[in-house]
Amino acid sequence: MSANVAAAAKAAPSPEDKSAISVRDMRKCFGDHEVLKGISLEAHKGDVISILGSSGSGKSTMLRCINLLETPDSGEVRVDGELIRMKQARDGRQMPADIRQVERIRANLAMVFQSFNLWSHMTVLENLVAAPTHVLKRPRAECLEQAEALLKRVGIWERRNYYPPHMSGGQQQRAAIARALAMNPKVMLFDEPTSALDPELVGEVLRVMRSLAEEGRTMLVVTHEMGFARDVSSKVMFLHKGEVDSVGEPKEMFAKPPTPQFKQFIANFNK
Amino acid sequence: MDFDFYLSTMWSVLKALPLTLEIWFFGIAFGLIIATGLTWLRASGHKLGEYFTRAYVFVFRGSPLLVQLYLIYFGLSQFDFVRHSPILWPILRDPMYCTIVAMALNTAAYESEIFRGALRAVPVGQIEAAKAFGMPAFTRFRLVTLPIALRLALPAYSTEIILMTKATALASVVTIMEMMGTAQKIQHDTFRPIEVLTCAGVIYLLLNLSIARLFAWVEYRLSPHLRPPPEQSQQIKPVPEVL
């Protein structure tokens, strides 16, 4: 089916083409260990896709291969219909053909990390302004204004002049989401955004993410939050041992697990 | 105690302080330039660059600065091509320049190791975040890697600078009348080593004290994120959450 979609996209890149991210047959090995064994993924504009899977299933690696923090060994990644061009390096591995193109695409794919990765030597406000001014070359005053508005939105405007180490994990992650939003990204990538948080701080981050989903943002979310996957996302994708085990509507998937692996997976969570 | 003698010795040694500072300043300035080059060469990932910097560090860190200074001042002038070179000879016949060259070459070895360690200690996540937001390599280095690495390098760098302050005393063995040279001359003239060397020692102590304080101040200014926030140190209760 994904082959048909890709073929159609190639034949006629019509203006209705709503593909935000399209991944075809992505493979990745770390040494002898094959982490991704040919993953395909289709995300349309406005999709919120939860990517589930037990640890080691390759879900984080897949996300990091999309913005090329990891280089996939083979496969195609298209963002907004644009293919990320790859070439063969001298050692036979794939590498990006044009790092400029990668940087331009990355600027459209803001990422939120498990361990926040806010720049610790900058205040929250500086964190939000750094990339828009230096990557998108937008005027500083405008970026500051937007940054303050975003911090108000995620509820940490009072902490705008704090340094990241002075905030709780939940506040840091909300700041990191605001930093991602400051890029006006086309797609947001969340790499286990609540996994490093104390349980009582998870809620505040999920609330922000839910409000982003509600305003129609395109999001790929690697997560262990079953509630978020079931209630907020428009699509659930379950990875098992480096392969796509099942994809579907969250309601159906959770009501009627399509595969024994997924059934087993959610059973472990309900214990 | 002969206060007059102490005072006059103090004054004589202090008059040589500008010369000490001159050696010190140019030594660490050129050292920093060389160290930056070495660090860049080492970090560039070229095998040849790595072997060169390793060999450089091995030689200049592994042998005494005094040996290096003697080799440069007494040793190199043995060679005809050095004596006939219009560029090398004006530098290498001058003991002042020789001291600066020896100090710069020596400290560069240590500093390049300090910088290499600091660069490696920058958390990967901080750099990944910069990559993920589309920052080109140079922007990434300027905004994220360098500021963090500099803060990590500062404590070890300040120690190296203090070591260099003390190393300026070696200039006295190649006829430079900086503080140590001056002190030795007074000692030879008066046969009062305790008084003379105490004076010199105290000046070196005070000099290093001010250098250490200066670095401590810079470090303090650069690391507000490593101190508790001002409000929290006063009131234990955290600011209430607003959402």
Side-chain angles (χ1 to χ4, degrees):
Chain A
M1 177 212 126
S2 66
N4 283 341
V5 172
K10 244 180 227 165
S14 61
E16 293 93 21
D17 184 15
K18 286 191 159 173
S19 170
I21 286 192
S22 155
V23 174
R24 274 220 305 163
D25 201 28
M26 181 190 278
R27 287 167 192 277
K28 173 75 182 172
C29 296
F30 288 118
D32 291 339
H33 181 54
E34 195 172 21
V35 185
L36 301 178
K37 301 171 184 166
I39 301 255
S40 296
L41 162 86
E42 200 62 46
H44 298 293
K45 287 183 183 133
D47 269 355
V48 177
I49 302 185
S50 287
I51 300 157
L52 307 176
S54 43
S55 81
S57 60
K59 51 196 191 314
S60 282
T61 306
M62 186 198 83
L63 204 66
R64 292 165 57 83
C65 278
I66 290 177
N67 65 358
L68 274 100
L69 285 183
E70 306 284 354
T71 314
D73 296 337
S74 68
E76 281 184 8
V77 178
R78 280 170 202 275
V79 176
D80 237 8
E82 182 182 352
L83 177 72
I84 302 182
R85 294 189 303 281
M86 304 296 275
K87 67 177 183 195
Q88 294 274 319
R90 257 178 291 172
D91 60 357
R93 287 173 166 274
Q94 260 205 141
M95 60 178 283
D98 176 8
I99 194 70
R100 288 267 168 84
Q101 186 204 21
V102 173
E103 282 157 2
R104 186 163 46 77
I105 286 175
R106 279 174 176 165
N108 285 322
L109 301 174
M111 193 175 217
V112 175
F113 296 86
Q114 178 176 1
S115 45
F116 330 131
N117 293 353
L118 290 166
W119 297 303
S120 60
H121 59 294
M122 302 182 194
T123 64
V124 171
L125 210 50
E126 287 164 353
N127 262 281
L128 264 68
V129 170
T133 50
H134 288 99
V135 177
L136 306 177
K137 312 281 181 204
R138 286 166 47 203
R140 192 178 164 81
E142 181 195 312
C143 293
L144 273 171
E145 201 177 315
Q146 187 199 13
E148 297 216 17
L150 286 170
L151 288 174
K152 275 180 191 148
R153 171 170 179 185
V154 300
I156 50 170
W157 181 78
E158 285 74 13
R159 307 246 153 172
R160 64 197 176 285
N161 291 323
Y162 273 49
Y163 289 91
H166 295 156
M167 307 197 298
S168 72
Q171 291 168 339
Q172 287 191 56
Q173 195 59 300
R174 283 187 277 150
I177 294 174
R179 174 175 69 169
L181 287 169
M183 294 295 282
N184 301 323
K186 289 180 176 151
V187 181
M188 296 182 77
L189 309 175
F190 291 83
D191 187 8
E192 302 201 29
T194 55
S195 297
L197 297 176
D198 291 337
E200 75 270 21
L201 301 178
V202 170
E204 64 192 57
V205 171
L206 287 181
R207 271 203 297 282
V208 172
M209 289 170 61
R210 183 186 287 257
S211 83
L212 295 178
E214 278 161 6
E215 68 180 32
R217 292 201 177 253
T218 314
M219 297 158 66
L220 296 189
V221 187
V222 169
T223 186
H224 289 295
E225 291 297 327
M226 291 305 133
F228 181 87
R230 192 179 51 225
D231 304 334
V232 181
S233 50
S234 58
K235 214 188 214 180
V236 168
M237 180 175 180
F238 175 63
L239 297 190
H240 184 66
K241 293 185 177 166
E243 288 176 293
V244 180
D245 179 84
S246 43
V247 186
E249 292 271 317
K251 299 261 157 27
E252 287 170 30
M253 289 271 285
F254 280 92
K256 239 194 237 163
T259 62
Q261 287 85 357
F262 187 59
K263 191 172 184 176
Q264 172 88 45
F265 178 74
I266 51 177
N268 283 341
F269 267 92
N270 292 335
K271 258 181 214 163
Chain B
M1 283 247 285
D2 183 350
F3 275 110
D4 284 347
F5 181 68
Y6 268 108
L7 271 180
S8 70
T9 307
M10 206 60 149
W11 181 239
S12 310
V13 177
L14 266 180
K15 274 195 287 192
L17 176 65
L19 197 56
T20 290
L21 287 179
E22 198 181 327
I23 301 168
W24 176 80
F25 177 80
F26 286 107
I28 60 176
F30 289 121
L32 184 61
I33 295 169
I34 301 169
T36 308
L38 287 171
T39 311
W40 177 78
L41 209 58
R42 182 76 190 258
S44 66
H46 290 293
K47 271 274 168 273
L48 220 62
E50 191 192 323
Y51 291 142
F52 174 77
T53 46
R54 273 169 181 249
Y56 182 96
V57 170
F58 172 69
V59 169
F60 283 96
R61 196 176 58 173
S63 61
L65 176 54
L66 186 59
V67 172
Q68 294 161 21
L69 177 57
Y70 276 160
L71 274 175
I72 290 170
Y73 182 60
F74 296 118
L76 289 181
S77 56
Q78 271 189 8
F79 299 104
D80 277 336
F81 78 91
V82 173
R83 282 201 307 276
H84 295 128
S85 157
I87 303 162
L88 290 176
W89 191 232
I91 297 173
L92 293 177
R93 72 170 175 214
D94 185 318
M96 182 76 179
Y97 290 149
C98 281
T99 312
I100 289 171
V101 167
M103 281 187 44
L105 292 174
N106 182 271
T107 192
Y110 288 90
E111 286 174 17
S112 73
E113 283 294 289
I114 293 172
F115 297 157
R116 182 174 72 91
L119 282 177
R120 283 178 51 152
V122 176
V124 184
Q126 303 265 308
I127 299 169
E128 268 190 354
K131 277 188 192 167
F133 280 84
M135 286 187 195
F138 182 71
T139 312
R140 215 154 64 210
F141 182 75
R142 189 167 63 85
L143 294 183
V144 179
T145 315
L146 185 65
I148 297 174
L150 278 183
R151 286 163 169 84
L152 291 170
L154 206 55
Y157 183 74
S158 68
T159 303
E160 177 59 23
I161 296 304
I162 287 170
L163 286 172
M164 286 328 274
T165 318
K166 298 187 287 183
T168 56
L170 286 179
S172 61
V173 303
V174 288
T175 73
I176 305 276
M177 295 305 275
E178 40 66 75
M179 293 205 300
M180 190 61 201
T182 309
Q184 261 176 333
K185 186 177 179 302
I186 302 172
Q187 183 199 331
H188 285 309
D189 293 347
T190 60
F191 299 103
R192 297 170 79 168
I194 293 281
E195 288 94 328
V196 176
L197 293 176
T198 307
C199 283
V202 165
I203 297 173
Y204 279 112
L205 266 179
L206 291 177
L207 184 57
N208 276 331
L209 178 71
S210 24
I211 293 169
R213 297 300 307 166
L214 179 73
F215 272 101
W217 178 78
V218 173
E219 212 179 310
Y220 180 85
R221 291 302 305 266
L222 286 180
S223 56
H225 57 295
L226 300 179
R227 294 192 292 275
E231 302 93 296
Q232 278 187 13
S233 49
Q234 283 153 21
Q235 54 181 69
I236 312 296
K237 253 185 159 180
V239 182
E241 187 87 15
V242 188
L243 185 77

